Amino acid sequence: MGICDSHMKLSPASADASEIYFHRPQSWVEKLDWSQVFAGPTERIHIDIGAGDGTFILGLARLQPGTRFLALERLLGRARKISKRAFKQGLSNVRVLRIEAAYAVEHLFPAGSIDAFTVLYPDPWPKRRHHPNRLIQPGFLASCARCMRPGGTLAIKTDNTPYFEHIQKVLTACRELEILKNADPGILTPITTDFEAEFQKENRPVHFIAARKP
Ligand SMILES: C[S@@+](CC[C@H](N)C(=O)[O-])C[C@H]1O[C@@H](n2cnc3c(N)ncnc32)[C@H](O)[C@@H]1O
């Protein structure tokens, strides 16, 4: 029995909560079955990419108990923190996948199954020679679009102006998605993350862009 199958039987007192809400795929090359990931029916699925300490996804999971949330995070310590916090807060609609996000989006998510993606403050890789490491690239956006349901949304925020200009360019060029000109960050990203709070304190600009799959 995998950790995900057993999590409902564990209590905070009896278990190490740091990996209880992890999802461990049975295969790393086959598409996930969402009803197995979330151990039950899935009406709406929201993926938070590069979830950090989980402040955003956990806050939203509390606000939207009918939605299933999957946090993608490549750092083990951060992934564990999200799982632990979700378990302590009793957020049974949250799972954590410790993975490189571009791989998950390209290989693991079934086509037409995801209602919302958020990418909040992705690592900006400011040096020019590191730009190929940036997550948001044409191929990544095409993979996101493939996984989205018609009407599904992708919302992105960054404080890094050159990265934002790059994102605007590649998102505008993505034929499978249309930019939402009047998208409201208060609706698509209604939780303030720790990063965002820091930027607000320092009066740094926050750039927001969103798109939908027609
Ligand atoms: C700057 S932090 C932002 C965290 C969070 N989204 C927030 O707004 O508070 C970026 C996070 O994305 C994770 N990350 C960066 N690139 C990633 C990738 N390719 N796949 C998965 N996680 C990634 C990092 O480990 C880090 O936790």
Side-chain angles (χ1 to χ4, degrees):
M1 182 188 287
I3 280 180
C4 259
D5 306 322
S6 61
H7 76 269
M8 299 307 283
K9 296 184 182 129
L10 298 167
S11 70
S14 68
D16 173 3
S18 68
E19 293 185 13
I20 287 172
Y21 276 14
F22 271 26
H23 179 68
R24 291 193 169 78
Q26 289 174 348
S27 157
W28 291 100
V29 290
E30 284 167 36
K31 301 284 185 265
L32 297 176
D33 175 345
W34 291 122
S35 65
Q36 280 186 5
V37 176
F38 293 105
T42 52
E43 301 84 32
R44 258 184 71 78
I45 296 176
H46 181 135
I47 313 282
D48 187 36
I49 293 180
D53 69 0
T55 303
F56 173 79
I57 195 168
L58 299 176
L60 203 56
R62 216 173 300 121
L63 283 181
Q64 299 177 4
T67 298
R68 310 287 171 213
F69 290 89
L70 182 65
L72 304 187
E73 175 50 58
R74 70 175 168 198
L75 295 183
L76 180 60
R78 292 187 183 177
R80 281 188 169 142
K81 188 169 180 184
I82 301 168
S83 171
K84 200 171 185 168
R85 290 176 74 192
F87 187 64
K88 281 191 172 161
Q89 294 173 33
L91 294 168
S92 58
N93 56 335
V94 173
R95 292 292 180 277
V96 182
L97 186 55
R98 187 200 169 206
I99 199 163
E100 165 60 44
Y103 182 89
V105 173
E106 187 175 352
H107 297 290
L108 297 186
F109 298 160
S113 65
I114 291 162
D115 296 278
F117 278 110
T118 38
V119 191
L120 305 183
Y121 307 99
D123 294 342
W125 296 99
K127 290 185 181 153
R128 181 173 286 275
R129 69 176 186 277
H130 292 153
H131 285 184
N133 296 334
R134 287 172 167 173
L135 180 65
I136 297 170
Q137 307 286 1
F140 172 77
L141 293 178
S143 295
C144 288
R146 180 193 65 79
C147 305
M148 286 157 74
R149 288 197 175 128
T153 58
L154 164 68
I156 304 171
K157 274 182 175 174
T158 179
D159 64 310
N160 185 285
T161 303
Y163 194 14
F164 185 64
E165 286 164 359
H166 164 83
I167 294 168
Q168 278 180 308
K169 205 163 113 192
V170 290
L171 199 50
T172 304
C174 178
R175 290 186 175 181
E176 298 89 347
L177 297 173
E178 62 184 25
I179 300 219
L180 286 168
K181 290 210 174 73
N182 299 315
D184 182 350
I187 292 176
L188 292 178
T189 56
I191 306 291
T192 302
T193 74
D194 293 350
F195 273 96
E196 204 161 39
E198 298 264 318
F199 301 148
Q200 283 169 353
K201 253 192 257 164
E202 295 165 14
N203 280 330
R204 276 160 66 177
V206 166
H207 304 287
F208 170 79
I209 190 165
R212 74 187 276 278
K213 181 168 171 171

PDB file of all heavy atoms in Angstrom, residues 69-84:
ATOM      1  N   PHE A  69      -5.987  19.921  -5.375  1.00  0.00           N
ATOM      2  CA  PHE A  69      -4.772  20.706  -5.629  1.00  0.00           C
ATOM      3  C   PHE A  69      -3.539  19.812  -5.612  1.00  0.00           C
ATOM      4  O   PHE A  69      -3.361  19.021  -4.673  1.00  0.00           O
ATOM      5  CB  PHE A  69      -4.609  21.780  -4.546  1.00  0.00           C
ATOM      6  CG  PHE A  69      -5.630  22.881  -4.646  1.00  0.00           C
ATOM      7  CD1 PHE A  69      -6.845  22.773  -3.986  1.00  0.00           C
ATOM      8  CD2 PHE A  69      -5.379  24.003  -5.417  1.00  0.00           C
ATOM      9  CE1 PHE A  69      -7.798  23.774  -4.087  1.00  0.00           C
ATOM     10  CE2 PHE A  69      -6.325  25.007  -5.532  1.00  0.00           C
ATOM     11  CZ  PHE A  69      -7.536  24.900  -4.864  1.00  0.00           C
ATOM     12  N   LEU A  70      -2.694  19.982  -6.621  1.00  0.00           N
ATOM     13  CA  LEU A  70      -1.418  19.270  -6.640  1.00  0.00           C
ATOM     14  C   LEU A  70      -0.290  20.297  -6.668  1.00  0.00           C
ATOM     15  O   LEU A  70      -0.236  21.154  -7.564  1.00  0.00           O
ATOM     16  CB  LEU A  70      -1.330  18.360  -7.869  1.00  0.00           C
ATOM     17  CG  LEU A  70      -0.042  17.521  -7.964  1.00  0.00           C
ATOM     18  CD1 LEU A  70       0.051  16.499  -6.830  1.00  0.00           C
ATOM     19  CD2 LEU A  70       0.036  16.806  -9.319  1.00  0.00           C
ATOM     20  N   ALA A  71       0.591  20.215  -5.653  1.00  0.00           N
ATOM     21  CA  ALA A  71       1.767  21.087  -5.596  1.00  0.00           C
ATOM     22  C   ALA A  71       2.928  20.376  -6.261  1.00  0.00           C
ATOM     23  O   ALA A  71       3.246  19.243  -5.902  1.00  0.00           O
ATOM     24  CB  ALA A  71       2.109  21.387  -4.136  1.00  0.00           C
ATOM     25  N   LEU A  72       3.567  21.043  -7.235  1.00  0.00           N
ATOM     26  CA  LEU A  72       4.797  20.508  -7.827  1.00  0.00           C
ATOM     27  C   LEU A  72       5.972  21.285  -7.245  1.00  0.00           C
ATOM     28  O   LEU A  72       5.980  22.522  -7.291  1.00  0.00           O
ATOM     29  CB  LEU A  72       4.808  20.689  -9.343  1.00  0.00           C
ATOM     30  CG  LEU A  72       3.658  20.108 -10.162  1.00  0.00           C
ATOM     31  CD1 LEU A  72       3.971  20.245 -11.653  1.00  0.00           C
ATOM     32  CD2 LEU A  72       3.392  18.665  -9.803  1.00  0.00           C
ATOM     33  N   GLU A  73       6.918  20.564  -6.700  1.00  0.00           N
ATOM     34  CA  GLU A  73       8.082  21.233  -6.102  1.00  0.00           C
ATOM     35  C   GLU A  73       9.269  20.293  -6.227  1.00  0.00           C
ATOM     36  O   GLU A  73       9.180  19.121  -5.903  1.00  0.00           O
ATOM     37  CB  GLU A  73       7.782  21.571  -4.630  1.00  0.00           C
ATOM     38  CG  GLU A  73       8.919  22.168  -3.843  1.00  0.00           C
ATOM     39  CD  GLU A  73       9.619  23.364  -4.510  1.00  0.00           C
ATOM     40  OE1 GLU A  73       8.958  24.361  -4.810  1.00  0.00           O
ATOM     41  OE2 GLU A  73      10.844  23.266  -4.741  1.00  0.00           O
ATOM     42  N   ARG A  74      10.401  20.851  -6.710  1.00  0.00           N
ATOM     43  CA  ARG A  74      11.533  19.945  -6.916  1.00  0.00           C
ATOM     44  C   ARG A  74      12.415  19.781  -5.684  1.00  0.00           C
ATOM     45  O   ARG A  74      13.161  18.805  -5.586  1.00  0.00           O
ATOM     46  CB  ARG A  74      12.347  20.370  -8.131  1.00  0.00           C
ATOM     47  CG  ARG A  74      13.128  21.638  -7.983  1.00  0.00           C
ATOM     48  CD  ARG A  74      13.964  21.843  -9.235  1.00  0.00           C
ATOM     49  NE  ARG A  74      14.523  23.174  -9.279  1.00  0.00           N
ATOM     50  CZ  ARG A  74      14.996  23.734 -10.376  1.00  0.00           C
ATOM     51  NH1 ARG A  74      14.953  23.079 -11.516  1.00  0.00           N
ATOM     52  NH2 ARG A  74      15.501  24.935 -10.347  1.00  0.00           N
ATOM     53  N   LEU A  75      12.357  20.704  -4.730  1.00  0.00           N
ATOM     54  CA  LEU A  75      13.206  20.577  -3.545  1.00  0.00           C
ATOM     55  C   LEU A  75      12.514  19.740  -2.469  1.00  0.00           C
ATOM     56  O   LEU A  75      11.376  20.048  -2.059  1.00  0.00           O
ATOM     57  CB  LEU A  75      13.547  21.961  -2.979  1.00  0.00           C
ATOM     58  CG  LEU A  75      14.409  22.859  -3.871  1.00  0.00           C
ATOM     59  CD1 LEU A  75      14.722  24.169  -3.159  1.00  0.00           C
ATOM     60  CD2 LEU A  75      15.705  22.152  -4.286  1.00  0.00           C
ATOM     61  N   LEU A  76      13.218  18.717  -1.999  1.00  0.00           N
ATOM     62  CA  LEU A  76      12.605  17.782  -1.047  1.00  0.00           C
ATOM     63  C   LEU A  76      12.148  18.478   0.239  1.00  0.00           C
ATOM     64  O   LEU A  76      11.045  18.244   0.724  1.00  0.00           O
ATOM     65  CB  LEU A  76      13.603  16.661  -0.718  1.00  0.00           C
ATOM     66  CG  LEU A  76      13.117  15.608   0.272  1.00  0.00           C
ATOM     67  CD1 LEU A  76      11.866  14.909  -0.251  1.00  0.00           C
ATOM     68  CD2 LEU A  76      14.217  14.583   0.557  1.00  0.00           C
ATOM     69  N   GLY A  77      12.995  19.346   0.779  1.00  0.00           N
ATOM     70  CA  GLY A  77      12.652  20.009   2.042  1.00  0.00           C
ATOM     71  C   GLY A  77      11.371  20.817   1.915  1.00  0.00           C
ATOM     72  O   GLY A  77      10.509  20.796   2.804  1.00  0.00           O
ATOM     73  N   ARG A  78      11.236  21.516   0.796  1.00  0.00           N
ATOM     74  CA  ARG A  78      10.028  22.333   0.593  1.00  0.00           C
ATOM     75  C   ARG A  78       8.814  21.450   0.360  1.00  0.00           C
ATOM     76  O   ARG A  78       7.720  21.715   0.858  1.00  0.00           O
ATOM     77  CB  ARG A  78      10.235  23.294  -0.572  1.00  0.00           C
ATOM     78  CG  ARG A  78      11.258  24.349  -0.236  1.00  0.00           C
ATOM     79  CD  ARG A  78      11.376  25.420  -1.293  1.00  0.00           C
ATOM     80  NE  ARG A  78      12.440  26.336  -0.889  1.00  0.00           N
ATOM     81  CZ  ARG A  78      12.863  27.360  -1.594  1.00  0.00           C
ATOM     82  NH1 ARG A  78      12.311  27.633  -2.759  1.00  0.00           N
ATOM     83  NH2 ARG A  78      13.824  28.127  -1.148  1.00  0.00           N
ATOM     84  N   ALA A  79       9.004  20.376  -0.425  1.00  0.00           N
ATOM     85  CA  ALA A  79       7.881  19.461  -0.679  1.00  0.00           C
ATOM     86  C   ALA A  79       7.382  18.861   0.646  1.00  0.00           C
ATOM     87  O   ALA A  79       6.183  18.769   0.898  1.00  0.00           O
ATOM     88  CB  ALA A  79       8.320  18.364  -1.650  1.00  0.00           C
ATOM     89  N   ARG A  80       8.328  18.486   1.509  1.00  0.00           N
ATOM     90  CA  ARG A  80       7.944  17.920   2.811  1.00  0.00           C
ATOM     91  C   ARG A  80       7.185  18.935   3.652  1.00  0.00           C
ATOM     92  O   ARG A  80       6.223  18.599   4.337  1.00  0.00           O
ATOM     93  CB  ARG A  80       9.197  17.484   3.569  1.00  0.00           C
ATOM     94  CG  ARG A  80       9.752  16.171   3.097  1.00  0.00           C
ATOM     95  CD  ARG A  80      10.857  15.729   4.027  1.00  0.00           C
ATOM     96  NE  ARG A  80      11.221  14.358   3.757  1.00  0.00           N
ATOM     97  CZ  ARG A  80      12.473  13.900   3.790  1.00  0.00           C
ATOM     98  NH1 ARG A  80      13.481  14.716   4.100  1.00  0.00           N
ATOM     99  NH2 ARG A  80      12.723  12.637   3.556  1.00  0.00           N
ATOM    100  N   LYS A  81       7.642  20.171   3.577  1.00  0.00           N
ATOM    101  CA  LYS A  81       6.986  21.218   4.372  1.00  0.00           C
ATOM    102  C   LYS A  81       5.521  21.394   3.941  1.00  0.00           C
ATOM    103  O   LYS A  81       4.620  21.528   4.768  1.00  0.00           O
ATOM    104  CB  LYS A  81       7.759  22.535   4.203  1.00  0.00           C
ATOM    105  CG  LYS A  81       7.290  23.634   5.115  1.00  0.00           C
ATOM    106  CD  LYS A  81       8.256  24.800   5.101  1.00  0.00           C
ATOM    107  CE  LYS A  81       7.746  25.897   6.032  1.00  0.00           C
ATOM    108  NZ  LYS A  81       8.586  27.083   5.990  1.00  0.00           N
ATOM    109  N   ILE A  82       5.294  21.362   2.618  1.00  0.00           N
ATOM    110  CA  ILE A  82       3.922  21.524   2.119  1.00  0.00           C
ATOM    111  C   ILE A  82       3.048  20.368   2.615  1.00  0.00           C
ATOM    112  O   ILE A  82       1.930  20.564   3.110  1.00  0.00           O
ATOM    113  CB  ILE A  82       3.894  21.571   0.570  1.00  0.00           C
ATOM    114  CG1 ILE A  82       4.739  22.725   0.055  1.00  0.00           C
ATOM    115  CG2 ILE A  82       2.460  21.708   0.070  1.00  0.00           C
ATOM    116  CD1 ILE A  82       5.009  22.660  -1.468  1.00  0.00           C
ATOM    117  N   SER A  83       3.585  19.147   2.495  1.00  0.00           N
ATOM    118  CA  SER A  83       2.819  17.968   2.920  1.00  0.00           C
ATOM    119  C   SER A  83       2.474  18.044   4.412  1.00  0.00           C
ATOM    120  O   SER A  83       1.334  17.790   4.824  1.00  0.00           O
ATOM    121  CB  SER A  83       3.631  16.707   2.626  1.00  0.00           C
ATOM    122  OG  SER A  83       3.022  15.581   3.195  1.00  0.00           O
ATOM    123  N   LYS A  84       3.464  18.434   5.182  1.00  0.00           N
ATOM    124  CA  LYS A  84       3.286  18.502   6.636  1.00  0.00           C
ATOM    125  C   LYS A  84       2.222  19.535   7.004  1.00  0.00           C
ATOM    126  O   LYS A  84       1.324  19.284   7.811  1.00  0.00           O
ATOM    127  CB  LYS A  84       4.626  18.908   7.252  1.00  0.00           C
ATOM    128  CG  LYS A  84       4.804  18.588   8.692  1.00  0.00           C
ATOM    129  CD  LYS A  84       6.274  18.863   9.003  1.00  0.00           C
ATOM    130  CE  LYS A  84       6.610  18.458  10.401  1.00  0.00           C
ATOM    131  NZ  LYS A  84       8.052  18.440  10.629  1.00  0.00           N
TER     132      LYS A  84
END
